[in-house]
Structures are given as C-alpha cells and as structure tokens.
Amino acid sequence: MRTHVTIGDFSRATHLTVKTLRHYHEVGLLEPAEIDPDSGYRYYSNEQIPMAQVIKRLRGLDMPVPDVKAVVSATEPEARNRLIVAHLNRLEDELTRTRAAVGELRSLLDGPAAERAIEHRTERATPALAVSALVAREEALTWWQGALGELGAAVRAQGLEPSGPPGGMFASELFQDGRGEATVFIPVAGEVRSIGRVAPLTMPGAELAVTVHRGGLSGIDIAYGQLAAYVMSHEIAVDGPLRERYPLGLLDTPDSECWETEIGWPVFRADGRPCPGSYSSR
Amino acid sequence: MRTHVTIGDFSRATHLTVKTLRHYHEVGLLEPAEIDPDSGYRYYSNEQIPMAQVIKRLRGLDMPVPDVKAVVSATEPEARNRLIVAHLNRLEDELTRTRAAVGELRSLLDGPAAERAIEHRTERATPALAVSALVAREEALTWWQGALGELGAAVRAQGLEPSGPPGGMFASELFQDGRGEATVFIPVAGEVRSIGRVAPLTMPGAELAVTVHRGGLSGIDIAYGQLAAYVMSHEIAVDGPLRERYPLGLLDTPDSECWETEIGWPVFRADGRPCPGSYSSR
DNA sequence: TTGCTCCTCACGTCACGTGAGGTGGC
DNA sequence: TTGCTCCTCACGTCACGTGAGGTGGC
C-alpha cells in the first residue's frame, strides 16, 4: 500500500536528516511525492525509500550531487552503470594517490632527504610533434596522459623515428595559479603532418638545472622542491617554463613505479663551462 | 645557503598555488620567513620547502587544517606520530565504510530487495545497566562502541548475569536532526552499582515491529527502510524512540560481518492478538 | 617606462548545518 | 489549548578559488 508520510517520518525511515531532505528537494535531487499547497508541508511516499537509500550510498561515496542526479534520473541501466563505474574508478585512483602520499609522508618525516644529483644542461631548440593546451591543475594529469597517448599514436601512425625521449613544458602559471599553458612533445626530425591535436612545433632551447625523479608523479613535487632549493641557494634562477623529459615513462610501461622523469629548471649561466652540482636538503 | 624568495618562486618550488600559500599564512599554518613592512610582500626561505611538502601531503590526505597545524608545530616526534597515526586510522575506517557502501549499492541496484521477515513483539519494562548521552550523528558510532564496551566491563566487574542480550534505544531526533538522546544497556536483575558513565536504569516497555539486520552497521539503514515501509503501509506507526538489540554483536565478536541486530520500530496494536507479517520492498 | 608580480578586500563554491522567527496539525 | 512539527529565510562552515582594483619592483 502506498502511503504518504511527513518529512520527519521519512527521515527516520531513511536516516537522512530533515535538513538534508529539504536540501535535496531544493536542488531537485529528491522531490517529495506531494506538497501541501497551503502549508508547504512535504509528503514522501514509502516507494521513495529505495531511491533515498541509493542517493545516500552515492553521496556516501562522495559522488557530487549533480552526478547523483544524473544516476537516479537515468532511464537506461547501462547509462546508470557507466556513471557509477566511472565514479568507482575515480575512487580507485584516489586510493592509489592516498597510498603514495602516505609513503611519501613517511620518507619526508624519516629524516633528511637523500642527496640528489643535479647537473646543468644546455638544451638546444628541437623540432618535435606536440600537443599544447591551457589546462587546470585538477585536470592536468588526465590531460597529460591523453596528450602523450595521442602523440605516441601519431608518431607510430606516420612511421616516424623519435630523435629523443618524449618531454613536456609547463608554464609557471600552472603551478602558481593552478592553470596555465602545458605542452607535451616527442622530438622528431623531417616531414611531419598534423593529426587531431597533434601538430609540429619547435621546442625552444634553454639552460637548465636538471634532476631525475624515479617513480609515480604524485611524489614529483619532492624532486621539484629539492631542485628549486638548489637553484635558489645558488641564485641562478631565471624565468621560463619548467621542463620535463620522460626517458622511461607512460609510453614505455604503465607501471609508474618504474618511471624516470627528468626535471629541468631554467637557470642563468654566465659562461660556457660545465658546472656540475649536487644538493642535499639538510 | 639560506635565501628568501617571493611567493611565486616558492609556489613553483612546492607546487602549492599562490592563493593557497596566502591562505596558509592567514590561518597561521605556514608563515613566510619574512614580510616586507612597506609593501606587504611575503618572502619564503628555501629551508621552508620540506615543511611545505609535509603540509601538502597531510592536506592531500584530507587532514583538517587545525590538525595539520598541530602536527607541524609538535615539538616531540612521538606527539607528531600519534596525530598522524590517528589520522591514518581514520582513513582506514573510511576505506572500510567505502567498501561496504559499494557492496550495498550493488545489492540495492541489483533488483528487488529480499523479502524481509517482520514480526510484532511486546517488550516489557526491564531493569538494566545503561549508558545514556546526547550524541551527534558523526560521533554516534564511536560513542556506541565505547559505551557498549564500558557496559560489558561493568557487568563483568560486578559479576552480574545478564538477563538478555545488550540493546540500545535511540531518540528520533538522532536520525531527524543528526543529534539526539542515545542509550545502550544490558538487562540485569538484582543489586547493581553505578561505575563511571554506567548507571542502573529501567528500560520502558513498548509494542514493536521487529526485523533482523545481519552484518555491519553501515548497511543498517536498508533494514530500517524496509521496516519503516512496512510500518507505514500498515499505518501502525506511533511516536517513540527506536530500539535495537544485539543478540550477536560487538561484545561477542569484532567481526561485524557476523553481527545480528534486531531493530524495533514502535507501533500501535489495537488488540492482544499476535499479528505476524512480512514485507517485500517491491 | 612598461608590464609583470605582488598586495588586499569581498565574494563565490559545495553540501549541507545552525539558528531565528513564525505557522500548522493533532 | 498546548506543544510539537513543520515552514522559510539568512547566515555559517571548510578550504580554498575568483575576480576587482590597486601598488611595487626590475
């Protein structure tokens, strides 16, 4: 039998607070079955209980309210499942990042950072195939993966021989403001064509202080910090985008623990002599 | 060498945005090494980089800013470690709840709920040892565990023989407003003493519609919902606190998957005849 | 000098929670 | 009729992000 009950009764039935139920009404996530036009009283049906339970679970999994709305209003089960699976994948990725952060936290607290080899390098202007975009920090990792993948495919499709490892170039604004110009590239010589987002581009040369980060990207800011500390303490920093090179990276193995990322920080060099250096954070 | 750099440089070194650094200054989480009194310019030291990296990791683990402040300002390593371990335990608990929610979501979406046996029961007034408090929803589970544990210890300490399984009584406000009176108890007869929060209390009698929930408490709202739907559709609901009994629970085994929780919903009964019933949510 | 970097308000975001002040239903 | 339940604003919370409007440093 279908019955209409007050918001208080429905709250007890679903373990959602009255305030939450009113909020869900306001944002259109869970509309009362009936509203008294005089008093404004909300009345819910017992048939809405399972729906409320699904909403409670999805919100408990931190799915944003608009996404929850999309799930509960999806008419086809496949569309509904796609949305849920996508969110579960996001949770899985988050868990991976959490595990990494715990490990990095331990090594940060476990004492002085290991001595880090830093060398200077003169990067020459290099013809390449590249993908560029204005990206925001939160979407940066996704963008980077997609762009690198597309680049790799474009190079294979044209039967090109890379003249060096893939690389990236990131405007300072990306780190400072959380949004900025990003470029990934694969150096190639000779005749190349544009495909999709992939276009030929000559990467400019630069003077760089370079260090290597081994492992996944979640810990890369540690290496950035040590490199920055070296550059700062030697007072050789100059403006310019930060560089990366991926001699062993996404295009070689999906296991990010094996990756090797070279980080290049733009520096000033007064003379032509090589100036090797090393830095310990303590 | 110690150097002071601008907020922009420090941002690039730490991968914290300028806005975030200013915010951390405002809330006293990470103070610049120096502030120009004329211009208000913030200057950071390269020696602050490791601290910023720790802060970034802790915030990445969703530790609240005041807790992060406590960690980075802790002088003793043991105190610091205690705070971190406590937070990691919270993350672990959250992961357990997440896993449970995913499972519950699947069974909610996988089709109609299983038929649920519901019976009516007349609960008589029962002398008991009890712990009562006004609790908020977020702390309810913690409170419940602690109170039940303390009760169990008090019963053992006094060498009492329980006259029934432990139980609980929860005011409607706890579910509706997220805060309300909660009581847990163990029925005992005879002479009893108060110890700590534990005091003798006579649990009032009630007419109840009862069902059994098997498993951990994260999924208990599903059973509540089915019981509520039954009570609603038979229009027999009356006001009063919700009841629980734990014939197999926290005091018997730490493995919540094995738990059996009886849920009692206060109902009206017009006559003395037993009125068994059952409910399927579809 | 130009343009970039830095500054300080003030307000926005997200998903509710808190409280004030008032009305409706049994 | 009383007291409880419901209602609608309006504002608060948390950890920043967004912009406006203005100044400082190389």
Side-chain angles (χ1 to χ4, degrees), chain A residues 84-263:
Chain A
I84 292 175
V85 167
H87 185 66
L88 294 182
N89 287 337
R90 279 198 293 278
L91 289 181
E92 197 62 42
D93 293 350
E94 205 175 297
L95 180 58
T96 305
R97 281 197 300 278
T98 297
R99 283 197 222 284
V102 170
E104 291 148 17
L105 182 61
R106 282 203 202 295
S107 48
L108 276 171
L109 295 173
D110 270 0
E115 181 142 324
R116 177 171 286 278
I118 293 173
E119 58 176 40
H120 286 235
R121 179 189 296 168
T122 303
E123 199 106 328
R124 302 186 184 284
T126 313
L129 269 179
V131 177
S132 281
L134 184 69
V135 297
R137 181 82 69 87
E138 317 89 67
E139 55 171 16
L141 190 56
T142 309
W143 178 85
W144 179 86
Q145 290 185 342
L148 262 186
E150 201 171 328
L151 263 180
V155 166
R156 274 196 306 281
Q158 300 191 32
L160 299 169
E161 190 63 36
S163 57
M169 200 168 84
F170 307 99
S172 297
E173 289 81 18
L174 183 56
F175 305 106
Q176 287 174 241
D177 309 334
R179 181 189 309 248
E181 190 75 18
T183 302
V184 293
F185 63 92
I186 295 181
V188 285
E191 200 71 7
V192 293
R193 280 175 293 116
S194 298
I195 314 178
R197 299 182 293 171
V198 178
L201 186 68
T202 297
M203 304 310 295
E207 279 302 314
L208 300 173
V210 175
T211 193
V212 178
H213 167 73
R214 282 167 229 281
L217 296 186
S218 78
I220 203 166
D221 61 319
I222 310 284
Y224 266 90
Q226 295 188 319
L227 186 58
Y230 166 83
V231 167
M232 278 181 205
S233 62
H234 290 76
E235 296 179 323
I236 49 175
V238 299
D239 279 355
L242 298 165
R243 310 280 188 122
E244 292 181 356
R245 287 213 306 206
Y246 316 112
L248 195 55
L250 179 65
L251 297 183
D252 305 297
T253 166
D255 178 8
S256 65
E257 285 314 300
C258 304
W259 290 358
E260 283 184 16
T261 305
E262 292 179 11
I263 306 169

Side-chain angles (χ1 to χ4, degrees), chain B residues 179-225:
Chain B
R179 181 189 310 247
E181 190 75 19
T183 302
V184 292
F185 63 90
I186 295 181
V188 284
E191 201 69 8
V192 292
R193 280 175 292 116
S194 297
I195 315 178
R197 298 182 294 171
V198 178
L201 186 69
T202 296
M203 304 310 295
E207 280 301 316
L208 300 173
V210 175
T211 193
V212 178
H213 167 73
R214 284 167 228 282
L217 295 186
S218 77
I220 203 167
D221 61 318
I222 310 284
Y224 266 91

Side-chain angles (χ1 to χ4, degrees), chain B residues 6-9 22 39-42 179:
Chain B
T6 64
I7 197 170
D9 289 337
R22 284 205 271 256
S39 64
Y41 273 35
R42 296 166 177 86
R179 181 189 310 247

